[in-house]
Amino acid sequence: MRHLLVPNRKVQAALTEITKHDWLSKEHRIFSSEDGNNRLIPLSFSADANLPEPLCNFEIVFSEGKPNEIIDTDWWNHLENLVGEEALIQHKEAWPSSHEFFADMMIVRIDDSIEKYTSEIARAKLLSHPFIRLVLSDGGVLGELRIRGLKPIGARKDTELYFENIPSELTKTKVSVKESGRYISCDPQLAYYSTKLQTERLETLRFAKELRKDLNRPLAVCDPFCGVGPALSTLIAEEDLVERILASDLNAAAVELLFENLQRWDKREYPTESKPIEQYYDDRIVGQADATKLSGNSKYSGKWDLVLVNLPHRTIEFLPKIIPLLNRNNISLIRGRVIVAESDIKYANEQINQILPPIASGKPKPQLKIKRDYSSTLRLCSFEAWIDKEFN
Ligand SMILES: C[S@@+](CC[C@H](N)C(=O)[O-])C[C@H]1O[C@@H](n2cnc3c(N)ncnc32)[C@H](O)[C@@H]1O
């Protein structure tokens, strides 16, 4: 997560400014830098991508957040009261101390070994997080559309808590999440969206700015696996960065949410239901499409400076069908994510470099960087490939 690195003597002033915007992460705590000269202040997920004066004068550091001890202690105390000390110790490693927030919902992954304590876990989470309406258990991301298998396990209405026969008005999963200063409509039960990718999106923003500098003009950006559009949200919010976009996804439910999001971000009309890909405005091509078929259409192939490939379990396989989307009249950029066994990273790097066209001189060779563990053996990695202009 993002932390602001602030010299000790400026912490009070920075905190006043951060609190004014309500950008201090409530779930995490401030901690000291290794040299003791600075404090790392955790920023909330909603804080703008570009911070205003005077906060923009401090360095941003991406590092694991340290849990707010009060909330953390609360959760463990409630859990111990509910399951008893013996069970707490017996399953010490298995209890889900982390979780993911989606507005007033929380998603927790419950290990098989503690499944019988599901209601107690939900109750302890609701008691320690008083702003949460609904707790869902996470069955993982499933199928081609990468939708999460979610099950409501606890809910709150005013002072009442429910764990069985949860009233249907409490189980709705469509919410608006504020990420990097912009609202994103999402429904984790219908379309992929993960708040955990914010850092990745901010990194993509940094690369896009570099490409814009190289090209000396705003970019044409293609996100053919765009889901509800979070990567585009960050990019189009940046003034003068993006000239036009192609935003598409195979999942009709994701496209419906994408239209709703674009309507909000662009302040222009879009359909209220999913539709096949179409040009709605000079600078907007949007809709449902199979990414592997886009380059077969001359309206879309060879037109894009930046192409995002976020279908990590199939990125390498799909790359040959995605590459023709690039505008090869100038330097262009592919930003991709890949899930791979740690032992296979070297081979995956070779494969990627074999598939890609020549890399622009002065730019680094594409290389998978491990971003986090996906399972005990698999790693979620990302790469960026700066593709050279095609010389005829
Ligand atoms: C890991 S999600 C990423 C979504 C989005 N880019 C984000 O960061 O939130 C992958 C997306 O690819 C979509 N997808 C899967 N196969 C596809 C295909 N052949 N063509 C287009 N989209 C596809 C899924 O529906 C899903 O929304």
Side-chain angles (χ1 to χ4, degrees):
M1 65 178 299
R2 281 183 296 170
H3 292 81
L4 211 58
L5 185 73
V6 180
N8 292 340
R9 64 195 161 76
K10 295 192 175 169
V11 166
Q12 203 46 52
L15 265 178
T16 307
E17 200 61 30
I18 292 170
T19 316
K20 194 171 91 191
H21 294 280
D22 197 17
W23 285 344
L24 185 65
S25 168
K26 293 170 185 62
E27 287 285 311
H28 301 93
R29 64 178 172 84
I30 301 169
F31 58 97
S32 184
S33 62
E34 265 177 29
D35 61 12
N37 296 331
N38 299 278
R39 292 289 158 104
L40 285 107
I41 304 179
L43 294 179
S44 77
F45 179 72
S46 62
D48 285 6
N50 294 315
L51 301 177
E53 287 277 355
L55 300 176
C56 60
N57 299 317
F58 300 114
E59 189 187 332
I60 297 272
V61 174
F62 291 92
S63 83
E64 193 80 15
K66 295 202 193 284
N68 175 330
E69 272 140 17
I70 299 170
I71 298 175
D72 205 39
T73 314
D74 254 18
W75 140 253
W76 288 111
N77 285 343
H78 287 302
L79 189 65
E80 183 171 357
N81 288 338
L82 294 165
V83 303
E85 193 185 354
E86 200 180 315
L88 193 80
I89 295 169
Q90 187 190 349
H91 301 288
K92 199 166 183 283
E93 300 303 319
W95 299 112
S97 49
S98 65
H99 40 248
E100 191 175 355
F101 290 113
F102 282 75
D104 62 352
M105 304 189 298
M106 173 194 273
I107 297 181
V108 281
R109 187 176 276 263
I110 299 181
D111 199 87
D112 290 347
S113 64
I114 48 169
E115 213 185 328
K116 65 176 176 181
Y117 296 110
T118 296
S119 293
E120 286 81 0
I121 292 170
R123 188 183 287 273
K125 290 289 183 191
L126 285 167
L127 292 173
S128 52
H129 295 88
F131 62 93
I132 287 298
R133 166 182 54 95
L134 180 65
V135 184
L136 299 140
S137 92
D138 187 359
V141 175
L142 309 166
E144 216 34 49
L145 304 183
R146 315 309 292 150
I147 300 167
R148 290 192 203 221
L150 295 175
K151 195 172 121 209
I153 56 169
R156 177 197 332 263
K157 189 174 184 198
D158 305 322
T159 53
E160 210 64 48
L161 300 185
Y162 300 85
F163 302 95
E164 275 162 21
N165 304 320
I166 301 173
S168 57
E169 81 263 21
L170 298 181
T171 59
K172 80 168 180 72
T173 46
K174 185 180 169 199
V175 289
S176 270
V177 172
K178 195 172 186 192
E179 176 181 334
S180 305
R182 307 251 280 186
Y183 279 100
I184 298 174
S185 292
C186 62
D187 185 336
Q189 220 151 17
L190 296 181
Y192 182 94
Y193 170 71
S194 173
T195 57
K196 291 186 181 158
L197 295 186
Q198 183 192 33
T199 307
E200 198 68 18
R201 296 191 261 274
L202 292 172
E203 220 171 74
T204 301
L205 174 64
R206 184 163 59 76
F207 289 124
K209 286 181 183 174
E210 185 177 335
L211 182 62
R212 194 221 177 280
K213 209 165 161 201
D214 289 346
L215 296 180
N216 197 24
R217 59 163 175 78
L219 309 175
V221 179
C222 176
D223 189 354
F225 305 93
C226 73
V228 303
L232 293 166
S233 158
T234 312
L235 295 173
I236 61 181
E238 187 75 25
E239 213 175 316
D240 269 348
L241 178 67
V242 175
E243 195 231 320
R244 60 204 172 88
I245 61 168
L246 182 154
S248 60
D249 197 281
L250 198 57
N251 179 358
V255 172
E256 191 172 313
L257 288 157
L258 170 71
F259 280 142
E260 183 178 321
N261 284 324
L262 282 170
Q263 178 139 338
R264 180 188 292 131
W265 303 330
D266 283 353
K267 299 186 178 56
R268 290 187 285 199
E269 288 292 318
Y270 285 93
T272 51
E273 287 172 1
S274 174
K275 299 261 187 243
I277 191 161
E278 199 183 303
Q279 176 132 21
Y280 285 94
Y281 299 98
D282 283 350
D283 57 351
R284 296 287 185 264
I285 297 172
V286 190
Q288 192 181 10
D290 181 341
T292 61
K293 305 212 167 108
L294 288 174
S295 60
N297 186 329
S298 59
K299 283 195 286 191
Y300 311 138
S301 71
K303 301 271 193 294
W304 308 98
D305 307 310
L306 168 60
V307 176
L308 308 178
V309 191
N310 189 358
L311 187 62
H313 64 299
R314 300 192 74 183
T315 291
I316 297 181
E317 173 194 343
F318 282 176
L319 260 186
K321 299 212 167 100
I322 299 297
I323 290 165
L325 293 166
L326 292 171
N327 174 4
R328 301 290 312 283
N329 294 319
N330 46 246
I331 182 173
S332 54
L333 176 64
I334 299 186
R335 175 123 166 98
R337 286 161 63 71
V338 178
I339 292 170
V340 63
E342 188 156 6
S343 54
D344 288 342
I345 289 183
K346 190 166 171 266
Y347 174 64
N349 273 328
E350 282 166 15
Q351 262 186 311
I352 291 171
N353 280 281
Q354 254 169 30
I355 297 169
L356 289 170
I359 301 304
S361 69
K363 297 289 187 187
K365 202 169 134 177
Q367 226 176 10
L368 292 175
K369 293 182 202 92
I370 300 177
K371 291 304 173 77
R372 62 183 162 90
D373 293 351
Y374 188 75
S375 69
S376 57
T377 52
L378 297 176
R379 304 289 169 260
L380 191 52
C381 304
S382 60
F383 71 91
E384 49 287 341
W386 299 85
I387 308 296
D388 206 358
K389 165 182 177 166
E390 195 165 42
F391 295 94
N392 296 314

